[in-house]
Amino acid sequence: MPVTPDIPRDSAERGRGSLGRVIVMTSGKGGVGKTTSSAAFATGFAMRGHKTVVIDFDVGLRNLDLVMGCERRVVFDFINVINGEARLNQALIKDKRVDNLFILPTSQTRDKDALTKEGVEKVMEELRKEFEFIICDSPAGIERGALMALYFSDDAIVVTNPEVSSVRDSDRVLGILDARSRRAEMGLAQVNKHLLLTRYDPERAERGEMLKVDDVLEILAIPLLGVIPESQAVLSASNEGTPLVLADKGNAGQAYRDAVGRFLGEQIEHRFIKPERRGLFDRLLRRS
Amino acid sequence: MQGGRGVTGNERNAERDGPFQVRGGSYTMVVLKLIDPSSRNFFPLLGEKVRQAPNFFRNAPIVLDLEELSQEREYFDFVGMIRRLREYQMIAVGVQGGGPRMRELALASGLAILPPGRGQRGEGGFRAENAAKSEAEAAAKAEVIKAESIAKVEAGVESEVAAAAADRAEPQDRSAETASPPAVTGAAALSLSTTQQSGQQSGSIPGVPSPPVPPPSPPSRITLIVTEPVRSGRQLYAAGGDMVVMAPVSAGGELLADGSIHVYGPLRGRAMAGLSGDTNARIFCMSLEAELVSVAGIYRLNETIEPLVYKKPAQVYLDNGYLRLQPF
């Protein structure tokens, strides 16, 4: 399995080289865009040729399959695999649009107690052998579901909206990552943390109606992976079941594609942070 | 809080295999100062207090302070008092102060004798000012709420400093917070023996990078150095010494130290210095945006921080019992 040289950042630590990297998409607060971002990143990685699986950890509130547009193909799920009622290959759903992309849906009828540490670990170990990237779509909150989603992570993408309550919750989650993840408990290198600021509206930020990028960075003090502008396309893509990176030729889709590139180590300048210049006069002055 | 760090000597290791372990621990407890327990208003007023902060009092261990009871008193119905307190869901566990006769009676009633708290002299006594005013009359009858942390130490025994009652540290209801922020109520009586101070108290907070256990000889203060950001929801306690944080402290984070607190970054959470009553302790930070600062139990809330020092490098110290915030 081909692996980009920088990916297993601690292969020596794991001892076996080409194992996949587990990424948790987390936030604390609900409704900030974790599932949308999980779908976008998974699709983005796969489009670049990396074999990727995205797992829904929101047991009981199954959503990822809808956003990925595979809800009618769910037979077995994550919990069935944990309980040994199905093999992993039976539960994995292969995406029809993008090669290398797989979805592991969750159960709608069970609850978070079905996530045992041993069970999740077993599935993770199996997935690590087969996939380059394993994206764990965390439920909101800091309870069992969210803790299990982040426990095995090597990287965390912390999805935050530019508002104080979301930032506060993200801060709490960052503390939990440093204290209660497997890496923390085993004394390994810390989980790599990345900030993904979603639903950003540069004009409202400029007017002081929402927090600016710098305000959020100052409080959370972790590297910025990307800023996703507020966009109408997000809702329609979600309803349609098409990941944003596939559907949207507009700002939000581009911003996700940039963020995926940055995650893979490319140097890409941040966009959509400043308000767009408007009006003929501005255009004549700035763009010619 | 089980750390079990800092075991020294082989005999301790041997002890691990035995049917029990003897350990020291330190807990924050509510002290009920008995002033006029025979007053008819005693229990009605107490009940009112409990209603204001039911979560704070639920099954709380209570220490009865006998200091204010008249010395010549020959008899006190401890058993009756224990029973009545139970009705209010408080569990009397011991007494402090009082003459030999009273202690004898307490002992006979199944209460432990606790060493007198340093905080009881009042300077560390913690009370929200506005609450105190309305309470002034009531206080004559039932003066509650001075949580003191009582350290129980068995000489020569491994000790763990349990960071002051983490459960009670976050009052569930707002009234508990204004009436008596329990986490801050640190007029504390850490009567630690030298054996305890010899360095075994550093480790017991989970997730804190604990400094290496110092050699047993030079006793006294241990500094807790924190290099990573203190995120929301995290509580750190520098037992018996200072705390130095070389990173930001987020809103919702909490720093507790028996000594001073230094923050080389913005302080947006809570900081409580001089937790065991050290009125000389101070708080220093690069940008004062704290939710709450306190020294030896005297506190200020964010909304009372003057614009002059807000978001400025500043120090917080006690000046004649008054908490001053001074920009640099």
Side-chain angles (χ1 to χ4, degrees):
Chain A
M1 185 176 68
V3 173
T4 342
D6 68 320
I7 288 170
R9 70 190 161 96
D10 47 8
S11 51
E13 174 185 292
R14 294 206 203 103
R16 268 179 297 172
S18 61
L19 284 177
R21 192 160 148 188
V22 178
I23 305 164
V24 62
M25 197 69 72
T26 185
S27 71
K29 197 174 189 307
V32 294
K34 286 182 295 297
T35 302
T36 303
S37 300
S38 294
F41 269 79
T43 312
F45 286 143
M47 285 167 77
R48 287 161 173 265
H50 301 285
K51 195 174 179 191
T52 304
V53 60
V54 54
I55 311 174
D56 192 346
F57 270 80
D58 205 348
V59 186
L61 296 166
R62 199 177 85 193
N63 279 169
L64 179 70
D65 50 323
L66 293 169
V67 178
M68 292 296 294
C70 65
E71 72 278 11
R72 280 176 294 186
R73 298 167 61 204
V74 177
V75 183
F76 294 110
D77 60 50
F78 187 25
I79 304 303
N80 291 137
V81 178
I82 287 178
N83 292 341
E85 295 150 5
R87 279 178 291 111
L88 189 55
N89 284 336
Q90 293 176 298
L92 285 172
I93 300 173
K94 189 179 183 317
D95 191 86
K96 285 185 170 166
R97 298 153 298 202
V98 186
D99 281 345
N100 300 316
L101 178 58
F102 292 80
I103 299 107
L104 184 53
T106 194
S107 165
Q108 179 73 350
T109 52
R110 311 293 285 274
D111 61 34
K112 268 50 167 193
D113 294 336
L115 293 169
T116 60
K117 196 181 267 183
E118 298 70 31
V120 175
E121 180 168 26
K122 204 182 70 195
V123 177
M124 288 295 168
E125 289 315 311
E126 220 172 312
L127 290 172
R128 271 183 204 270
K129 287 181 207 150
E130 216 171 310
F131 292 90
E132 277 181 69
F133 291 112
I134 298 130
I135 299 181
C136 303
D137 181 23
S138 172
I142 51 171
E143 281 77 38
R144 183 164 196 87
L147 290 180
M148 281 298 111
L150 68 80
Y151 187 76
F152 295 97
S153 62
D154 302 307
D155 291 82
I157 299 178
V158 179
V159 185
T160 306
N161 286 171
E163 52 153 332
V164 282
S165 57
S166 175
V167 172
R168 170 84 60 100
D169 291 357
S170 294
D171 192 53
R172 180 88 167 93
V173 165
L174 287 165
I176 292 172
L177 280 164
D178 285 343
R180 296 174 69 182
S181 63
R182 185 189 64 109
R183 284 181 167 274
E185 284 183 2
M186 296 180 68
L188 305 174
Q190 279 192 349
V191 176
N192 266 332
K193 285 153 288 196
H194 315 265
L195 176 66
L196 187 68
L197 196 58
T198 53
R199 308 198 63 172
Y200 193 70
D201 184 335
E203 280 163 29
R204 294 191 65 189
E206 200 73 15
R207 290 200 297 268
E209 292 170 16
M210 58 169 64
L211 293 177
K212 287 186 186 161
V213 179
D214 289 343
D215 300 336
V216 180
L217 284 173
E218 200 206 321
I219 296 171
L220 295 181
I222 56 170
L224 181 65
L225 183 61
V227 176
I228 312 297
E230 175 82 318
S231 161
Q232 309 266 339
V234 175
L235 187 65
S236 40
S238 164
N239 281 336
E240 208 178 287
T242 315
L244 264 180
V245 286
L246 284 177
D248 185 27
K249 304 280 176 250
N251 289 356
Q254 283 180 45
Y256 271 118
R257 283 189 287 273
D258 286 359
V260 168
R262 281 187 210 106
F263 191 92
L264 294 170
E266 293 166 22
Q267 295 291 326
I268 302 171
E269 211 177 313
H270 287 285
R271 296 194 268 180
F272 317 117
I273 292 182
K274 293 262 177 309
E276 280 173 42
R277 300 280 164 193
R278 290 258 165 85
L280 184 65
F281 191 65
D282 262 329
R283 246 175 246 186
L284 285 173
L285 272 178
R286 309 262 162 189
R287 301 247 172 112
S288 51
Chain B
M1 202 123 324
Q2 289 138 351
R5 266 177 272 221
V7 185
T8 53
N10 291 331
E11 68 280 15
R12 302 277 166 66
N13 290 333
E15 229 174 71
R16 304 229 135 193
D17 301 319
F20 59 81
Q21 282 180 0
V22 183
R23 294 184 167 193
S26 118
Y27 303 95
T28 297
M29 286 192 255
V30 176
V31 175
L32 184 67
K33 193 172 246 183
L34 301 178
I35 296 163
D36 184 7
S38 48
S39 159
R40 277 192 297 136
N41 291 328
F42 186 95
F43 284 101
L45 285 170
L46 188 62
E48 204 171 291
K49 206 83 193 177
V50 173
R51 266 193 304 283
Q52 282 170 15
N55 289 319
F56 180 61
F57 288 107
R58 186 162 301 131
N59 296 329
I62 301 284
V63 177
L64 302 174
D65 187 337
L66 310 176
E67 211 57 70
E68 304 277 319
L69 281 176
S70 50
Q71 293 296 320
E72 56 284 313
R73 196 182 257 271
E74 274 305 310
Y75 179 73
F76 184 74
D77 183 14
F78 282 109
V79 177
M81 178 59 87
I82 293 168
R83 209 188 52 236
R84 288 305 299 273
L85 287 175
R86 265 296 169 114
E87 292 171 20
Y88 293 92
Q89 304 214 322
M90 288 183 257
I91 303 167
V93 293
V95 297
Q96 67 177 30
R101 171 82 188 128
M102 293 303 281
R103 290 191 209 179
E104 216 177 284
L105 281 168
L107 214 51
S109 317
L111 295 171
I113 309 295
L114 295 163
R118 240 199 290 162
Q120 64 179 260
R121 282 190 297 274
E123 91 269 30
F126 187 57
R127 220 186 296 156
E129 255 127 277
N130 46 1
K133 256 176 245 153
S134 64
E135 262 171 21
E137 312 85 49
K141 299 287 189 298
E143 164 67 307
V144 203
I145 325 294
K146 221 194 267 178
E148 306 193 322
S149 105
I150 308 286
K152 299 168 288 176
V153 178
E154 331 256 348
V157 170
E158 171 197 355
S159 74
E160 297 172 35
V161 175
D167 315 7
R168 296 186 193 288
E170 290 172 15
Q172 240 90 88
D173 50 355
R174 191 68 204 165
S175 62
E177 213 164 350
T178 42
S180 63
V184 200
T185 40
L190 283 179
S191 44
L192 304 177
S193 72
T194 39
T195 39
Q196 190 198 19
Q197 296 203 337
S198 64
Q200 302 168 350
Q201 18 176 320
S202 46
S204 51
I205 292 137
V208 185
S210 53
V213 178
S217 38
S220 81
R221 304 168 80 83
I222 297 140
T223 303
L224 178 65
I225 297 192
V226 182
T227 52
E228 54 193 52
V230 180
R231 305 279 183 188
S232 178
R234 191 101 177 267
Q235 189 187 50
L236 301 181
Y237 177 28
D242 292 353
M243 182 184 305
V244 179
V245 182
M246 299 161 68
V249 179
S250 297
E254 205 165 280
L255 310 178
L256 310 157
D258 289 331
S260 295
I261 296 174
H262 309 252
V263 181
Y264 294 94
L267 171 58
R268 303 189 175 106
R270 295 168 167 234
M272 294 153 224
L275 201 67
S276 29
D278 181 0
T279 51
N280 288 321
R282 292 186 180 203
I283 299 168
F284 306 88
C285 63
M286 303 298 282
S287 176
L288 182 61
E289 306 164 39
E291 294 174 322
L292 179 150
V293 285
S294 102
V295 174
I298 312 293
Y299 76 101
R300 287 271 284 270
L301 286 169
N302 181 289
E303 58 185 18
T304 65
I305 299 178
E306 298 91 352
L308 188 69
V309 287
Y310 196 71
K311 293 199 174 186
K312 301 274 181 349
Q315 64 161 332
V316 179
Y317 64 100
L318 272 183
D319 174 16
N320 282 325
Y322 199 84
L323 197 67
R324 300 223 181 267
L325 315 182
Q326 188 187 61
F328 287 127

